[in-house]
Amino acid sequence: MLEVTAFGEGWTLEHEGGRLPAVVPGCVHTDLLAAGVIPDPFLGRNETGTAWVGRREWTYTAELGAASGHERTDLVFEGLDTAAEITLDGQLLGRTRNMHRSYRFDVTGLRGRLAVRFASAYTEAAAVRDRLGERPAAYAEPYQYIRKMACSFGWDWGPTLVTAGIWRPVRLEHWSTARLGRVRPVVTVDQALGVVELHVDVERTRSEADLHVEVRVGGRVARATVEGTSGTVRLEVPDVRLWWPRGYGGQPLYDVELTLLHGDEVLDSWRRRIGFRTVQLDRRPDRHGTGFTLVVNGERLFARGVNWIPDDVFPSRVTGDRYRRRLGRAADAGVDLVRVWGGGVYESEDFYDACDELGLLVWQDFPFACAAYPEEQPLRGEVEAEARENVVRLMPHPSLVLWNGNNENLWGFRDWGWEERLAGESWGEGYYLGLLPRVVAELDPTRPYTAGSPWSGSWERHPNDPAHGTHHSWEVWNRADYAEYRSEVPRFVAEFGWQAPPAYATLRRALPGEELAADSPGMLHHQKADDGNGKLRRGLEHHFAFPEGDFDRWHYLTQVNQARAVAAGIEYWRAHWPVCAGTVVWQLNDCWPVTSWAAIDGDGREKPLWHELRRLYADRLLTLQVREQGLVLAAVNQGARAWRGDLTLRRMTVDGVLVEDAGVALEAGARAVTVVGVPAELRPDGPKEFLVADGGGLRALYFPAPDREIRYPEPEFEVTVAPGAVTVTARTLVRDLLLQADRLDPAARADRGLVTLLPGERVTIGVTGWKTPGVAAARAALYCVEPSR
C-alpha cells in the first residue's frame, strides 16, 4: 500500500548568511514576520518598507531522511511559489515556474540536504518579457509574464507583496508495483439514475503486473482491469438524490472510493465526495439579445452572486476553518453563487468542500486577469499543464458549475488600447477561444465553459455589450451616480460594486496611533483604487452634503452609500428576471484592511453592505422603482411556492404625517416577478414626501429626491439596553439607523445593519461580544441620516 509521509517539519529559510525557522506550507513574508525581521505589512504604511522581500532570491532547506523499503519514493510539492530550482545534495531534481501546479520528483534511494531556491518573481517575469516582448496590462507590475497569483503584485484593493515559498503541503510518497497517477471522475445523472465513470491513469514500476480497480459508491461496487497505464470503471447508482444550490433543495453528497489492486493486494486508493446534478448554460438568442442563464437540474436560476478574491495576500494562512467562516457568511447573506476571480488562484479543496456542503455554486475563472498574456513558450505549456491538472482536480465537486477563461481580457483588447499596441503579437485569445475550451471539452464535458467575463459571445458584438452574455458595470462607479444602474437591464451582471471603508475597529487596528481622516496618510495608503477617495466623494455628493472634517460622519455615510448603491442595482435587475439572470457583486471579501468594494472587510467584520445583501438576496424582495410607465411596486419571488398576501402602501411626509394609504392584494408565482403600478394618489410629491410599502414582514421605501434636498426632521429616538440587545424607539423618522457594534468593543457584532424607522416604530438589535453594556455607549455608536446643514 502506498505510504504517505508529511514533510512539513524541519525546514529553514536562509537569511543573510544565517537560517530562520520556516513554516511549510507558508511563504517568505510569513517566516520573516514570525522571526521579527519585518514588521506587519498590513499595519500603517509598512507595506512599502517590505518591498525588498519580493526582489530577492530565497532558499528553503531540509534534510531528506532514509529510504522506506518500497520500490519507489516520490517527493511531492502541492504548490511552489513560483520560479524554483530543487536540488538534493547539489544534484538538480528539477525546476519549476508555475504557482498553480503540483510537482513530483523521484528521490528513490536518495537522502541528504534538500534545497528549494526561489528566484525573485520579478527576475523570472523580466526574463520572460525580454524573450517574448512587452504586453499591455491594467497595472504596471509584470504579472502577465509569470504563472503566479496576479494580485501578489498589487491591485486596486490589494497591497504589493510579491511572495515566494512552499505555499502548499509537501509529502513523501513511498510505493511499489503501481500507484494511481490521475483519477478523472465524470459524474452524470439521468432522471434518478446516477452514473459515475472514473478514468484512471497509473504509474508502474513493474509493467507485467496484473492490475485492476474497484470503485464503491452508494453501496454499489464495480471493477475493471487496468491495461497498460490506464483504465475506466463505470458504476450506476439508482434512485440518487439530487444535489441542489442552496434555497432549491438539499446537498446530498456521496462518498466515492477507488482502490487500485494487484491481486488481493491494495496498492493505492482515491477518495472523494461527489454530488449528482445536471448543469447547463442557456445562451440562446431572444428578442432582448443573448441570454446567460444557469440551469441546474432543469431549474432556471437567477444567480445571487458575489466575487471572491484570495482571502489573504499570503494564501497559505487561509485555513479550512477560515474558508468555512467566510463562505458561511456568504450563505447567511442569501448568496448562492461565488465567482472565483481570475487574478487569484485555484483555491484549495477546503474551499470547494465548503461550497459543496453549503450549496454555493462556484464559477471558476482560469487565472488570467486584466492583461495581455503571451501565448508562446515557456508560458503556453505551463498554461495547458495547470489547466489540465486543475480541471481534473476540481471535477468531483458538484458546486462547480462554470469554467471561465479570463477576467476582462477580451474587453481590454477591444477597449483599452491593446490592439494597436500589440501590433499582431499574441495576447491570450488563443487560450480563451482555443486551448482552454478544448481542455474543458476533453476532460470535463459535463460543465459549460465561457471564454471570458465580460463576453458577449462573439467578436461581431462589443465584448461588454449588456444585451449579450455577461456584463461588467464599472462606468457607474467610475463616472456616475449609482442611480444610473437603473438605466439598463444587462442579461447577467458579473461585476459591479461601490466602495466603502472597512469597519472602524479594523481601521484602528490597521492604523495604530493615526488621527483618522479620509485623507490621512494611512487611510490614503490603504486606498488602492485610482482616484478612489475622489470617486467616494463624488458619489456622496450626489446624495449628501459632504461632511468636511468629520471623519465619523464620512465613515458612516460612505458605508450607507455603498449599501444603497448595490441595492439600486440588485433591486432593479432582480425585478427584471428572466431578462436579467444574475448579479455577482464585486466583492465579498478582502485580503487585508483596505477601503474597497468588499462586504466583509479584511479583519472579517461585516460592513452594512453585508447586512443589506441579506435583504436583497432573500427569496422574497419588495422594491419600489421608476419605470417607463411611472412608479411601480415589484414583488420578486425566488421561492418554490407562490407568494400571496396583502400589502399596505403609505404616502407620508418626512415629518411623519400620513397623506394617503391603500391596500394592495399581491400574488407572485414561484420563481417569478409581479409588477404593479402605484396609483397616482399614492405617488410622493417632491422632497417632502416618501412612499412606504409593507407586507409579509418586508418593507420597500421610495424617496423621490436625494437626501441633500430632503428637509428631514432632527432625528429623535430613545435607547434602551439589555444583555445582548440594544432597542431603539423612534419619535421621528429615523433614516438608515446603524449600530456600529465594533465601536462598543472590537469583538462586538450586531445582527442587523441599516434600518429606517417611522415615528413610533421600534427595533431591537442583537449584539454579541459586548462585555460592558451601557446606554451612553450604545447611543454613541448609533448613527443615522441627519438634516443637511
Side-chain angles (χ1 to χ4, degrees), residues 100 147-148 341-346 364-369 373 386 405:
H100 306 301
R147 297 309 297 154
K148 173 178 173 60
W341 168 75
V345 295
Y346 307 94
Q364 177 69 53
D365 281 14
F366 287 97
F368 301 89
Y373 285 79
E386 81 179 46

Side-chain angles (χ1 to χ4, degrees), residues 137-139 141-148 150 153 155 369-371 373:
Y139 302 98
E141 298 282 313
Y143 56 91
Q144 69 270 47
Y145 305 106
I146 183 170
R147 297 309 297 154
K148 173 178 173 60
F153 292 92
W155 220 258
C370 301
Y373 285 79

Side-chain angles (χ1 to χ4, degrees), residues 580-695:
C580 180
T583 55
V584 189
V585 176
W586 189 271
Q587 66 217 60
L588 174 68
N589 58 325
D590 269 326
C591 64
W592 77 314
V594 64
T595 296
S596 83
W597 298 264
I600 301 174
D601 74 21
D603 280 8
R605 294 186 174 91
E606 300 87 1
K607 297 182 187 178
L609 172 60
W610 180 85
H611 294 276
E612 184 69 352
L613 286 176
R614 297 175 70 191
R615 180 183 72 87
L616 297 167
Y617 277 164
D619 279 352
R620 294 178 176 181
L621 173 69
L622 282 180
T623 171
L624 290 159
Q625 50 193 239
V626 177
R627 303 265 184 106
E628 289 183 1
Q629 65 268 40
L631 184 62
V632 301
L633 172 68
V636 180
N637 180 22
Q638 212 159 339
R641 292 182 291 183
W643 178 11
R644 298 181 181 89
D646 295 322
L647 301 181
T648 301
L649 296 177
R650 285 179 286 173
R651 176 182 169 190
M652 300 186 67
T653 71
V654 294
D655 293 323
V657 177
L658 178 64
V659 179
E660 190 81 35
D661 66 350
V664 176
L666 168 74
E667 181 169 350
R671 322 289 192 202
V673 178
T674 293
V675 178
V676 296
V678 173
E681 64 272 17
L682 290 172
R683 296 171 190 168
D685 182 17
K688 294 183 179 180
E689 296 183 350
F690 65 102
L691 182 63
V692 185
D694 288 300

Side-chain angles (χ1 to χ4, degrees), residues 54-57 119-128:
R55 295 188 176 274
R56 284 189 46 179
E57 288 187 358
S120 163
Y122 285 105
T123 301
E124 168 70 9
V128 173

